[in-house]
Amino acid sequence: GAVVSQHPSRVICKSGTSVKIECRSLDFQATTMFWYRQFPKKSLMLMATSNEGSKATYEQGVEKDKFLINHASLTLSTLTVTSAHPEDSSFYICSARGQGGAEAFFGQGTRLTVV
Amino acid sequence: AQSVTQPDIHITVSEGASLELRCNYSYGATPYLFWYVQSPGQGLQLLLKYFSGDTLVQGIKGFEAEFKRSQSSFNLRKPSVHWSDAAEYFCAGSGNTGKLIFGQGTTLQVKP
């Protein structure tokens, strides 16, 4: 099956700093990647969709200047949480889809804690 | 608007008992449907998926789900629950873009 690797799995950062999360497709070319956020004891909400080589499309209510998404290659997308604050603490998870694929495959997720 | 609904927020069953978790969807066309399980502090594990064809889908860990177009449902079932099945279960749907809409999740508690 298709493998998606997300790194880091856990990160703690100080308030005001930025943190980058990587999402890699290991054995297929990911033309589309999705970034989701999960609050404690809540469901997953789509933050943005990124297509390789294009600007990401953000869902309503998601600050694009706060959550910078880059999808510069067919195997890597990054999410940068800029000027992080405690309210940004959450579980972030990516998924990746190949060209024409009906299914997107999930990474392991990243637990971000901002102190 | 497209949506996926899991009516039951929390379900408790006894170990060895049967289980059914409900999922309803609202899409313009028949979506692709998925069930995921999430243990505390962990990522998502795909249990099963429905794209087309046979409406009864077999998954991992003894789970199955049945797609019922007339009821817009995709309920998850297991004939005999094990204590290790205690977790959060998410139903999700997508069109052909791969973008998933998740239900609210159902917390499964298993009594010894």
Side-chain angles (χ1 to χ4, degrees):
Chain A
V3 180
V4 177
S5 177
Q6 191 172 338
H7 179 80
S9 57
R10 293 179 180 272
V11 59
I12 300 174
C13 70
K14 291 186 177 180
S15 187
T17 62
S18 296
V19 60
K20 180 184 287 187
I21 302 169
E22 293 186 347
C23 180
R24 294 182 183 272
S25 57
L26 299 186
D27 54 1
F28 69 102
Q29 293 187 326
T31 52
T32 306
M33 288 191 174
F34 305 91
W35 288 94
Y36 296 83
R37 180 175 180 176
Q38 185 180 32
F39 290 99
K41 300 189 184 300
K42 296 291 186 184
S43 187
L44 291 91
M45 301 299 294
L46 180 67
M47 298 174 66
T49 302
S50 71
N51 292 298
E52 186 267 337
S54 303
K55 287 185 178 180
T57 302
Y58 290 81
E59 295 298 303
Q60 191 172 8
V62 177
E63 300 175 63
K64 58 178 143 183
D65 295 331
K66 173 81 171 167
F67 300 100
L68 300 179
I69 292 172
N70 183 279
H71 190 172
S73 80
L74 284 170
T75 58
L76 174 64
S77 176
T78 60
L79 167 66
T80 301
V81 182
T82 63
S83 186
H85 288 92
E87 56 265 31
D88 299 324
S89 298
S90 197
F91 186 68
Y92 296 88
I93 190 165
C94 71
S95 68
R97 184 181 78 117
Q99 179 73 36
E103 181 180 353
F105 301 90
F106 281 92
Q108 306 94 316
T110 297
R111 174 80 53 195
L112 170 64
T113 302
V114 184
V115 298
Chain B
Q2 298 169 339
S3 66
V4 174
T5 304
Q6 294 176 245
D8 305 305
I9 301 299
H10 190 278
I11 282 185
T12 300
V13 299
S14 297
E15 189 168 17
S18 63
L19 170 71
E20 182 169 31
L21 301 182
R22 296 185 291 163
C23 173
N24 295 99
Y25 66 88
S26 175
Y27 272 79
T30 300
Y32 302 130
L33 294 164
F34 306 82
W35 274 100
Y36 293 91
V37 61
Q38 185 180 38
S39 296
Q42 302 298 311
L44 298 174
Q45 181 178 26
L46 178 66
L47 289 175
L48 46 79
K49 59 191 176 188
Y50 173 77
F51 287 171
S52 66
D54 193 346
T55 57
L56 185 62
V57 180
Q58 301 297 320
I60 63 171
K61 303 185 176 186
F63 285 95
E64 66 177 26
E66 186 170 12
F67 171 71
K68 292 186 177 180
R69 185 190 306 274
S70 61
Q71 299 178 19
S72 297
S73 69
F74 187 56
N75 294 349
L76 182 72
R77 301 194 294 249
K78 186 169 184 177
S80 178
V81 169
H82 188 263
W83 64 266
S84 60
D85 293 323
E88 189 79 16
Y89 290 80
F90 292 99
C91 181
S94 76
N96 58 6
T97 65
K99 181 167 71 172
L100 283 170
I101 296 175
F102 284 86
Q104 301 88 329
T106 298
T107 302
L108 173 64
Q109 183 178 0
V110 181
K111 293 191 301 185

